[in-house]
Amino acid sequence: NGIEVGLSAGLSIPVAQRFSVAVQARIARTDSEWTLFLPNEPADFSYKIPTTVALSLVPALHLSERVSVFGEFGFASGHIKESKTSPSASRSSYNFSEWVEGTLWGLGIAFQLGDDWGLQVVYRETDYSQLGYKSYSPNGTHLETIVDSPETEAFSIGFTYVF
């Protein structure tokens, strides 16, 4: 769990009286981090995705002038950081840090607060592509191969401004 700060920009196109489709670009930063210490190994593990960028389609059904529900479907790229450190000289370690592509989907509800301002409540899930890398001992010997399929789930509340 953590705090995420994001910025989105998009263009909404009315398709029918109560239906629109938007194209949205988004960048987000978070301080969320999953950590674990295994005393039997011993090792410290850290997994985080501090930055994500996304491009998505956002179809919306306008229930009234002030309330709409929407879905979000698109592509994302996240800066995946996974590390393992060990105080033991004979144990493996790794420090993976790369941008990885993925897909996202989400559901939300939007409330128009005035002529220009609104409030959105959104659930979003991002599934990143499978990644793999190797860990090595301090002398350079390959010890293990790590395969991971990162994903994130986020619940957010945010303000919107219409230009």
Side-chain angles (χ1 to χ4, degrees):
N1 295 330
I3 304 253
E4 178 180 270
V5 176
L7 178 64
S8 299
L11 174 65
S12 181
I13 301 165
V15 176
Q17 183 178 358
R18 295 178 56 203
F19 187 71
S20 65
V21 175
V23 176
Q24 175 179 278
R26 184 170 189 275
I27 184 167
R29 296 269 306 158
T30 183
D31 65 353
S32 296
E33 180 177 12
W34 181 83
T35 59
L36 174 69
F37 175 74
L38 294 178
N40 294 342
E41 186 142 346
D44 286 298
F45 297 85
S46 170
Y47 301 92
K48 55 188 171 182
I49 309 172
T51 307
T52 302
V53 294
L55 182 63
S56 53
L57 288 176
V58 183
L61 176 63
H62 305 279
L63 303 176
S64 71
E65 280 188 31
R66 299 266 181 211
V67 179
S68 60
V69 292
F70 60 90
E72 181 179 0
F73 310 93
F75 298 98
S77 183
H79 189 192
I80 311 288
K81 293 184 173 190
E82 300 185 355
S83 66
K84 173 184 175 184
T85 56
S86 175
S88 172
S90 63
R91 301 292 182 173
S92 69
S93 64
Y94 53 81
N95 190 13
F96 179 86
S97 178
E98 288 186 18
W99 285 86
V100 177
E101 295 76 33
T103 57
L104 69 88
W105 68 271
L107 298 170
I109 186 166
F111 304 94
Q112 196 64 31
L113 301 177
D115 291 339
D116 299 327
W117 288 95
L119 177 73
Q120 284 189 346
V121 180
V122 184
Y123 169 82
R124 184 180 291 113
E125 182 174 315
T126 307
D127 298 306
Y128 295 95
S129 300
Q130 187 178 58
L131 53 95
Y133 50 92
K134 297 177 180 178
S135 71
Y136 298 91
S137 69
N139 68 6
T141 305
H142 172 241
L143 294 177
E144 60 188 339
T145 299
I146 293 87
V147 177
D148 192 11
S149 298
E151 67 178 47
T152 60
E153 295 180 8
F155 175 77
S156 62
I157 299 172
F159 289 101
T160 59
Y161 184 80
V162 178
F163 292 97

